[in-house]
């Protein structure tokens, strides 16, 4: 019996433990990109602090059935001898000193009619609050050559890999879920560097206001929802661009309409985007539709034509092609601070 510091996490009701010495960060599951030559247990990769990290699912590693991922899942980033890996968990509990009892895996294997694929990955069994904890040997779980194949090789990236992630892992993901996954991915990387290029990507939430496609910066997005799920309370003597106030998760937020500033005809809006500015102020923005999460490199951003009105030109970073049309990229932080904050706070 040996005592070790282990991080305890849960997956499908089972508890697992890994040595806390190897844990580098615990984060929410982000949007993943797929690798063409990855083994079945690798769901994809993501940019973690400018390092491409593959993400492994233990169900697939152990040869069990795979039921997909949830927006509430976590990723435990571990490092072993310079190799980084993410492990999906439903829940992450705490770091505990566990008394690990070795088990006779050879005896269990001899009693099984079918090979036990994961027997070499287990160091022993411990207990946490009278529940068994399966303690894993990360060295054995990670050391297979194909599992840790170089994720930085751009030739291995699958075209449309984010869509592959949703089809395989989150087929029931809503537009709000996709925005959440994409926002997490953006926040986890300190920079996005394309292969043999220094072009910087930025993520935007694509919405429709009137007949125009508008891109909001993903790093400001907190939530998206249907506007009719909230009671919009009228605010006396408020400017016409303030539609009212809502109770959002216990907070009273103003709901504003950008059409008047951007010189887009005002229509009854159907969807809600909640943003948080850099000073912590939250504002709801009413839009017609929430469409997509989109990534664009800086060289694809073009200047607005002179024909566009001064209101749109003032607060637009530029425009880019989107679905055989044009999308306008808004300077949302600047727009809200200058046009709306004095009236809403």
């Amino acid at each position: 019996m040996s005592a070790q510091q282990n991080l305890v996490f849960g997956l499908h009701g089972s508890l697992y433990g890994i040595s806390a010495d190897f844990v580098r960060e615990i984060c929410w599951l982000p949007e993943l990109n797929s690798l063409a030559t990855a083994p079945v247990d690798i769901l994809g990769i993501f940019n973690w602090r400018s390092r491409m990290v593959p993400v492994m699912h233990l169900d697939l590693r152990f040869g069990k059935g795979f039921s997909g991922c949830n927006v509430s899942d976590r990723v435990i980033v571990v490092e072993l001898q310079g190799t980084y890996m993410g492990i999906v968990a439903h829940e992450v509990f705490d770091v505990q000193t566990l008394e690990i009892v070795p088990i006779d895996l050879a005896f269990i294997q001899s009693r099984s009619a079918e090979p036990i694929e994961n027997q070499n990955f287990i160091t022993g069994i411990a207990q946490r609050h009278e529940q068994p904890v399966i303690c894993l040997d990360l060295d054995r779980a990670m050391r297979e050559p194909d599992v840790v194949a170089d994720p930085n090789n751009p030739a291995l990236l699958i075209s449309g890999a984010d869509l592959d992630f949703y089809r395989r892992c989150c087929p029931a993901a809503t537009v709000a879920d996709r925005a959440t996954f994409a926002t997490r991915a953006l926040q986890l990387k300190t920079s996005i560097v394309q292969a043999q290029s220094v072009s910087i990507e930025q993520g935007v939430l694509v919405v429709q206001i009137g007949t125009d496609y508008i891109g909001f910066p993903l790093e400001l997005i907190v939530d998206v929802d249907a506007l009719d799920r909230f009671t919009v309370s009228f605010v006396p003597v408020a400017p016409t661009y303030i539609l009212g106030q809502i109770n959002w998760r216990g907070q009273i937020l103003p709901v504003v309409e950008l059409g008047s500033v951007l010189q887009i005809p005002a229509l009854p809006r159907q969807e809600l985007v909640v943003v948080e500015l850099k000073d912590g102020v939250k504002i709801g923005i009413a839009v017609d539709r929430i469409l997509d999460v989109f990534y664009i490199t800086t060289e694809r951003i073009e200047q607005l034509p002179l024909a566009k009105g001064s209101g749109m030109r003032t607060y637009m970073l530029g425009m880019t092609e989107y679905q055989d049309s044009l999308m306008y990229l808004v300077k949302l932080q600047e727009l809200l601070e200058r046009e709306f904050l004095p009236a809403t706070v």
Side-chain angles (χ1 to χ4, degrees):
M1 181 181 299
S2 62
Q4 296 180 10
Q5 289 276 313
N6 270 244
L7 175 70
V8 180
F9 62 95
L11 190 67
H12 298 306
S14 298
L15 297 184
Y16 294 91
I18 55 176
S19 174
D21 293 338
F22 303 133
V23 177
R24 296 295 173 261
E25 186 174 340
I26 301 166
C27 57
W28 296 105
L29 175 66
E31 183 179 85
L32 303 178
N33 283 288
S34 298
L35 287 170
T37 59
V40 68
D41 60 312
I42 301 299
L43 301 182
I45 63 171
F46 73 106
N47 188 325
W48 176 74
R49 316 305 177 197
S50 298
R51 184 187 301 273
M52 302 307 291
V53 174
V55 176
M56 173 173 64
H57 201 290
L58 291 179
D59 282 352
L60 297 170
R61 187 64 166 136
F62 293 166
K64 298 180 179 179
F66 178 58
S67 57
C69 298
N70 305 306
V71 73
S72 58
D73 286 347
R74 310 294 289 271
V75 172
I76 304 168
V77 179
V78 297
E79 178 195 3
L80 184 63
Q81 299 176 359
T83 296
Y84 289 80
M85 179 76 74
I87 300 173
V88 175
H90 290 337
E91 300 173 283
V92 177
F93 296 103
D94 49 20
V95 175
Q96 288 194 344
T97 301
L98 300 178
E99 298 289 339
I100 302 174
V101 180
I103 57 176
D104 190 349
L105 291 169
F107 173 73
I108 296 175
Q109 174 72 31
S110 69
R111 296 289 305 274
S112 175
E114 298 293 332
I116 301 177
E117 299 293 340
N118 61 340
Q119 62 168 332
N120 291 330
F121 304 152
I122 300 174
T123 60
I125 301 294
Q127 280 198 329
R128 177 186 182 272
H129 304 322
E130 299 184 354
Q131 284 187 278
V133 179
I134 302 169
C135 297
L136 302 178
D137 185 333
L138 277 182
D139 184 29
R140 290 178 174 174
M142 292 173 56
R143 71 182 179 182
E144 298 297 328
D146 57 343
V147 172
V148 294
D150 180 14
N152 294 288
N153 183 350
L156 302 182
L157 284 173
I158 297 175
S159 176
D162 57 333
L163 296 178
D164 184 75
F165 165 68
Y166 292 114
R167 283 195 298 265
R168 182 186 183 194
C169 302
C170 306
T174 63
V175 172
D177 292 337
R178 291 189 178 213
T180 298
F181 283 124
T183 301
R184 293 171 182 173
L186 187 68
Q187 292 172 343
L188 283 169
K189 48 193 170 186
T190 54
S191 64
I192 309 171
V193 182
Q194 299 294 337
Q196 300 179 347
S197 171
V198 293
S199 297
I200 303 300
E201 268 188 346
Q202 54 185 287
V204 296
L205 178 70
V206 184
V207 303
Q208 184 174 346
I209 301 179
T211 58
D212 290 313
Y213 295 137
I214 306 294
F216 292 163
L218 268 183
E219 62 265 24
L220 298 182
I221 307 301
V222 176
D223 191 22
V224 295
D225 211 330
L227 188 57
D228 61 9
R229 292 189 62 244
F230 301 89
T231 299
V232 182
S233 302
F234 174 72
V235 179
V237 301
T240 56
Y241 53 73
I242 297 181
L243 302 184
Q245 295 180 328
I246 61 171
N247 186 327
W248 177 80
R249 302 181 183 178
Q251 301 180 54
I252 302 302
L253 301 186
V255 179
V256 303
E257 203 279 316
L258 303 185
S260 58
V261 175
L262 300 179
Q263 299 177 350
I264 299 174
L267 299 171
R269 308 304 185 196
Q270 306 296 321
E271 306 282 352
L272 175 73
V273 179
V274 177
V275 301
E276 181 174 359
L277 304 184
K278 293 178 181 178
D279 56 4
V281 175
K282 295 185 178 67
I283 297 178
I285 302 173
V287 301
D288 291 343
R289 288 197 299 162
I290 297 168
L291 299 173
D292 198 3
V293 172
F294 189 74
Y295 290 92
I296 180 173
T297 53
T298 52
E299 67 263 20
R300 291 181 57 196
I301 301 176
E302 302 176 13
Q303 291 185 346
L304 264 64
L306 293 175
K308 283 296 179 183
S310 60
M312 179 171 280
R313 291 181 61 83
T314 300
Y315 297 114
M316 288 298 170
L317 179 66
M319 63 183 185
T320 187
E321 292 183 3
Y322 176 74
Q323 292 187 354
D324 298 324
S325 185
L326 291 176
M327 174 175 60
Y328 302 101
L329 306 174
V330 67
K331 301 175 185 175
L332 194 58
Q333 175 87 23
E334 180 181 343
L335 186 156
L336 293 175
E337 284 181 343
R338 292 178 58 178
E339 298 289 342
F340 295 101
L341 280 190
T344 58
V345 298

